[in-house]
Amino acid sequence: MKKFRKFKGIVAPLDRANVDTDAIIPKQFLKSIKRSGFGQNLFDEWRYLDYGEPGKDMSLRRLNPDFILNQPRYQGAGILVTRDNFGCGSSREHAPWALQDYGFDVIIAPGFADIFYNNCFKIGLLPIILDTSVIDRLIGDALAINGYRLEVDLDAQTVTALSGEVYRFDVDPFRRHCLLNGLDEIGLTLQHADKIRKFEANRRNDQPWLFLQQGRGGL
Amino acid sequence: MKTLYDKLWNDHIVHSESDDPNGMVILYIDRHLVHEVTSPQAFESLKLAGRKPWRTDSILAVADHNVPTTDRSKGIRDPVSRLQIETLDQNCEEFAITEFKMNDERQGIVHVIGPEQGATLPGMTVVCGDSHTSTHGAFGCLAFGIGTSEVEHVLATQCLVARKSKTMLVRVEGDLPPGITAKDIALAVIGEIGTAGGTGYAIEFAGSAIRSLSMEGRMTLCNMAIEAGARAGMVGVDEVTISYIKGRPFAPQGDLWDRAVARWRTLISDEGAIFDRMVELKATDIKPQVTWGTSPEMVASVDGYVPDPAEISDPTKRNDIEHALQYMGLKPKMPIQEISLDKIFIGSCTNSRIEDLRAAADVIKGKQIAPNIKLALVVPGSGLVKSMAEKEGLDKVFLSAGFEWREPGCSMCLAMNDDRLLPGERCASTSNRNFEGRQGPGGRTHLVSPAMAAAAAIAGHFVDIRSFSVK
């Protein structure tokens, strides 16, 4: 995973609450067995006027001019500011994959769905929780000011506006450490392999029924 | 005094990353359920890193999301879906993982087959790359959905790095009125606390109305915990739990059974245990629920009305309701019972178990679906549910009423296979999500219980199951 320290980017506002994972990346694109290439279908049903399917020639797709991300001023946006409960619904990691592949490095909202929030950290996409009053202001500014940018500093846990205002955010220290250093979490866990083996052996001894295979009940 | 969640959490801590009791821990995973959609990238990364699954006997795999529900003898027509299922087959063969293949009678929706096989047992941690893994919490276990990176993490280490949730007790006391089901409780709870109400929490469902539910009902309820924002839902162990498990293929037998049961009986919240949040509902207040919008919290009683956004003061909420009514093609203040339907879907990991099919069949017996219903589908949750239903003659009840009787899978809950709504079509569905496009692009979903969906199929519009004739 790549390291995340500071990021400065154009802000795109998505002024909707409860944006679900089906909206972020519709299910027909989940048939892919790859991890990449989902960005072109991010928010597919909102972003395009025609129905998208895997393998469809993207140059023939008709963009929905009313959808916020299609406006010229938000091209190249790296920060999405949105409303509460973003990423609700399914556990599909394809949703953060699509956001990242599209070009977002940071998502800012008053709240995120648990699984989505967790998935973001695993791939180096930073979800930031800020108060609704701050979100109101950020969305307002991103709509009003052309080329509106924010600077995010994970080390300092701050979001800084061009006007100089600084908003602090909380993040779990372990997750922050992993992101700052681009650590492989599986590798970290495997450093405790002996402990896992010991735990497992005790468990097998105390509760052997948790280790049964089908048709071998009772052993 | 501990909550059930505390007990389950503490019993699985391998290592704490910090001294903070609410900090990150390495949590041991007992059961890993795997399906075709969220696992291929996990297996691929695992192999690229030169790693192997830590404990293959903890894994049970099945293809469910993409499988056709029509004749399967010729395989899968869609090459993209076919490749995904073949990839699962290959990964399971390569690592000798138990998999129920598409034409195995035990195949079905992952959250139906786990409990059906006894592969879900009290006291376990159960994970799956699917948000509806919360279903398994009905058995007094800690079960939650994970993303693909975490699927790989569990494959490689048998553990997850996780942080403890807050706890919420949802207590429903009293006798459920006739016609009111677990689905109505779930939707009523979501209507009460909202789809983000459970964010950051694990929910335990308790109270006399919950105790009176069958395991099927409890699974429906825990399944929908994620729609309230809670990653995990759970119900404490009692006789209902224990008698459901007895004799199932993965369940212990003989002396081991007795030892297991003694331990399982401790899997309840202690009297006086403290929860971070309490929500109480009276069973007698719960009416049949119907969603009218594009989020499960957009729900009303069947005797209610579509809301009027003009009456909502919060601008974000008003905006959401306006969007939803426009998408759903509904007018403010319209009575729910005047909403007419095009399609009916009875199935999904929420409501495709034998009890659900019996409830729906009871309603339609001897009747015909209304002329305006273009398609009414019954998709059993597993091959075993299907054959049990056929032994009881339920297939004939559905078929003679004009329903189609299909092969098991996720089907039109998320429309990854050919079963889907066309733009503008309106469906009474026993599934769990009414998001935009969930059942097909432009499709309009109303979530209801199986009996309510069945009654709507006969009437052609929503009707109150409490006064609908079931003669």
Side-chain angles (χ1 to χ4, degrees):
Chain A
M1 191 171 70
K2 66 170 186 172
K3 290 182 188 178
F4 191 111
R5 205 157 275 267
K6 279 187 180 175
F7 182 79
K8 191 174 179 179
I10 296 176
V11 178
L14 184 62
D15 192 7
R16 285 185 75 157
N18 300 316
V19 173
D20 59 72
T21 52
D22 279 82
I24 298 171
I25 182 81
K27 82 293 258 136
Q28 63 268 33
F29 304 107
L30 272 50
K31 295 178 186 180
S32 168
I33 57 171
K34 297 198 173 74
R35 227 178 241 270
S36 56
F38 295 101
Q40 60 184 3
N41 301 110
L42 175 71
F43 299 122
D44 199 276
E45 283 181 24
W46 292 344
R47 204 162 132 207
Y48 300 97
L49 294 169
D50 57 331
Y51 176 62
E53 273 186 288
K56 198 165 181 177
D57 183 349
M58 292 308 288
S59 66
L60 302 176
R61 302 288 307 274
R62 287 180 295 127
L63 285 173
N64 173 6
D66 295 334
F67 184 57
I68 194 98
L69 292 184
N70 289 336
Q71 296 181 14
R73 54 188 291 202
Y74 299 118
Q75 298 315 299
I79 299 175
L80 186 71
V81 179
T82 185
R83 295 288 179 185
D84 199 15
N85 202 26
F86 187 81
C88 59
S90 87
S91 68
R92 62 187 72 164
E93 200 165 300
H94 310 65
W97 291 340
L99 287 157
Q100 192 177 56
D101 191 49
Y102 178 87
F104 289 116
D105 279 70
V106 178
I107 316 289
I108 306 178
F112 294 91
D114 284 343
I115 305 178
F116 176 84
Y117 184 76
N118 205 47
N119 285 343
C120 286
F121 283 99
K122 307 289 176 189
I123 64 162
L125 175 67
L126 180 63
I128 295 177
I129 299 172
L130 292 176
D131 279 349
T132 303
S133 59
V134 177
I135 298 294
D136 286 342
R137 191 176 319 163
L138 297 181
I139 288 181
D141 286 350
L143 288 168
I145 304 166
N146 228 335
Y148 184 73
R149 286 164 189 265
L150 288 171
E151 187 172 332
V152 173
D153 185 335
L154 176 59
D155 201 18
Q157 296 178 224
T158 55
V159 175
T160 308
L162 286 182
S163 56
E165 274 162 295
V166 178
Y167 308 104
R168 253 194 80 76
F169 63 89
D170 285 332
V171 57
D172 178 85
F174 177 76
R175 284 172 166 154
R176 176 168 161 273
H177 172 72
C178 287
L179 268 189
L180 285 172
N181 298 293
L183 298 177
D184 164 23
E185 281 193 27
I186 293 177
L188 286 181
T189 299
L190 285 174
Q191 288 176 5
H192 301 283
D194 287 344
K195 242 177 154 171
I196 300 171
R197 274 189 212 100
K198 202 173 156 201
F199 180 94
E200 194 168 69
N202 287 338
R203 195 162 184 77
R204 199 183 281 274
N205 191 45
D206 291 348
Q207 302 182 60
W209 54 86
L210 298 176
F211 293 79
L212 297 176
Q213 276 289 283
Q214 185 187 30
R216 292 189 218 151
L219 282 178
Chain B
M1 280 164 300
K2 291 192 169 68
T3 65
L4 170 58
Y5 176 75
D6 293 333
K7 292 180 187 180
L8 292 168
W9 183 263
N10 293 344
D11 193 42
H12 290 86
I13 298 174
V14 173
H15 170 80
S16 292
E17 292 286 350
S18 73
D19 297 333
D20 177 3
N22 293 318
M24 288 287 183
V25 302
I26 295 180
L27 199 70
Y28 188 79
I29 303 303
D30 295 305
R31 177 68 67 205
H32 189 185
L33 302 167
V34 166
H35 66 81
E36 79 276 23
V37 178
T38 54
S39 69
Q41 297 89 347
F43 278 110
E44 187 191 27
S45 303
L46 185 81
K47 288 187 260 189
L48 281 173
R51 292 171 177 143
K52 282 184 183 161
W54 179 281
R55 181 158 83 80
T56 50
D57 67 359
S58 70
I59 309 171
L60 180 60
V62 71
D64 56 2
H65 284 61
N66 267 306
V67 295
T69 58
T70 47
D71 180 19
R72 291 174 177 174
S73 57
K74 293 185 190 73
I76 302 173
R77 210 160 39 95
D78 175 1
V80 193
S81 291
R82 192 170 61 230
L83 176 63
Q84 201 169 51
I85 289 169
E86 285 170 356
T87 304
L88 178 68
D89 292 349
Q90 283 161 13
N91 284 324
C92 291
E93 268 164 42
E94 182 175 347
F95 295 115
I97 290 167
T98 305
E99 182 197 7
F100 296 160
K101 294 209 168 134
M102 192 170 74
N103 292 318
D104 188 317
E105 197 190 25
R106 300 166 298 176
Q107 181 269 342
I109 305 172
V110 67
H111 307 309
V112 174
I113 68 158
E116 188 173 76
Q117 293 295 321
T120 300
L121 295 174
M124 279 183 163
T125 38
V126 179
V127 296
C128 175
D130 191 285
S131 60
H132 291 109
T133 309
S134 58
T135 309
H136 307 263
F139 290 85
C141 48
L142 177 56
F144 54 91
I146 57 178
T148 297
S149 293
E150 289 189 315
V151 170
E152 185 191 348
H153 202 120
V154 177
L155 285 173
T157 70
Q158 207 58 38
C159 294
L160 275 178
V161 180
R163 192 179 178 169
K164 200 171 178 186
S165 302
K166 291 178 282 183
T167 53
M168 185 189 297
L169 181 69
V170 173
R171 185 188 292 281
V172 189
E173 294 288 355
D175 294 332
L176 282 175
I180 307 302
T181 67
K183 183 63 161 287
D184 302 299
I185 301 177
L187 288 170
V189 169
I190 295 164
E192 176 85 19
I193 69 173
T195 49
T199 303
Y201 290 90
I203 298 180
E204 180 177 344
F205 297 97
S208 56
I210 308 300
R211 290 274 147 248
S212 74
L213 293 174
S214 65
M215 282 318 296
E216 284 83 354
R218 295 176 190 186
M219 284 189 257
T220 301
L221 191 58
C222 291
N223 173 279
M224 295 286 285
I226 185 65
E227 308 316 328
R231 226 174 153 177
M234 62 194 74
V235 176
V237 172
D238 63 8
E239 291 310 317
V240 178
T241 326
I242 292 166
S243 62
Y244 179 97
I245 297 166
K246 196 170 173 100
R248 297 197 179 255
F250 281 75
Q253 297 168 10
D255 288 351
L256 210 50
W257 168 260
D258 296 335
R259 273 175 66 194
V261 167
R263 171 126 189 161
W264 294 345
R265 288 190 199 282
T266 67
L267 296 171
I268 50 170
S269 285
D270 296 332
E271 193 80 37
I274 308 290
F275 290 81
D276 296 301
R277 187 176 169 193
M278 305 268 285
V279 175
E280 299 208 7
L281 270 79
K282 269 196 211 134
T284 47
D285 289 347
I286 301 175
K287 297 175 179 177
Q289 302 286 301
V290 180
T291 65
W292 49 262
T294 53
S295 163
E297 71 186 20
M298 294 176 168
V299 64
S301 298
V302 68
D303 55 3
Y305 299 84
V306 173
D308 185 354
E311 292 169 3
I312 308 291
S313 53
D314 174 0
T316 303
K317 208 161 203 173
R318 185 170 59 233
N319 186 18
D320 284 350
I321 294 177
E322 280 167 356
H323 259 293
L325 294 190
Q326 192 187 15
Y327 180 86
M328 294 295 289
L330 295 174
K331 296 259 178 310
K333 299 184 177 177
M334 184 178 177
I336 295 290
Q337 293 183 50
E338 283 180 17
I339 299 174
S340 73
L341 298 150
D342 303 304
K343 289 185 175 170
I344 307 291
F345 174 60
I346 296 174
S348 87
C349 59
T350 313
N351 282 126
S352 64
R353 299 179 182 84
I354 190 67
E355 180 183 283
D356 301 316
L357 304 190
R358 285 177 190 145
D362 256 2
V363 172
I364 63 167
K365 203 165 196 168
K367 298 189 176 74
Q368 284 295 313
I369 59 172
N372 58 306
I373 302 296
K374 292 184 238 174
L375 178 70
L377 276 187
V378 186
V379 183
S382 71
L384 293 172
V385 169
K386 182 169 183 256
S387 73
M388 196 190 303
E390 286 170 352
K391 277 187 199 118
E392 295 178 19
L394 304 187
D395 56 328
K396 293 191 181 64
V397 173
F398 285 114
L399 286 165
S400 56
F403 276 80
E404 293 191 14
W405 179 249
R406 297 286 189 89
E407 298 297 325
C410 299
S411 180
M412 210 161 72
C413 171
L414 88 167
M416 271 189 84
N417 66 357
D418 290 337
D419 310 334
R420 63 183 73 162
L421 299 181
L422 297 174
E425 280 183 340
R426 192 180 294 287
C427 181
S429 178
T430 66
S431 56
N432 39 59
R433 289 188 178 136
N434 51 350
F435 298 158
E436 285 185 22
R438 173 80 178 179
Q439 295 192 289
R444 294 160 171 170
T445 304
H446 297 273
L447 304 176
V448 287
S449 72
M452 282 286 288
I458 303 306
H461 56 87
F462 288 114
V463 287
D464 191 338
I465 190 67
R466 295 170 301 176
S467 50
F468 187 75
S469 159
V470 189
K471 277 165 216 150

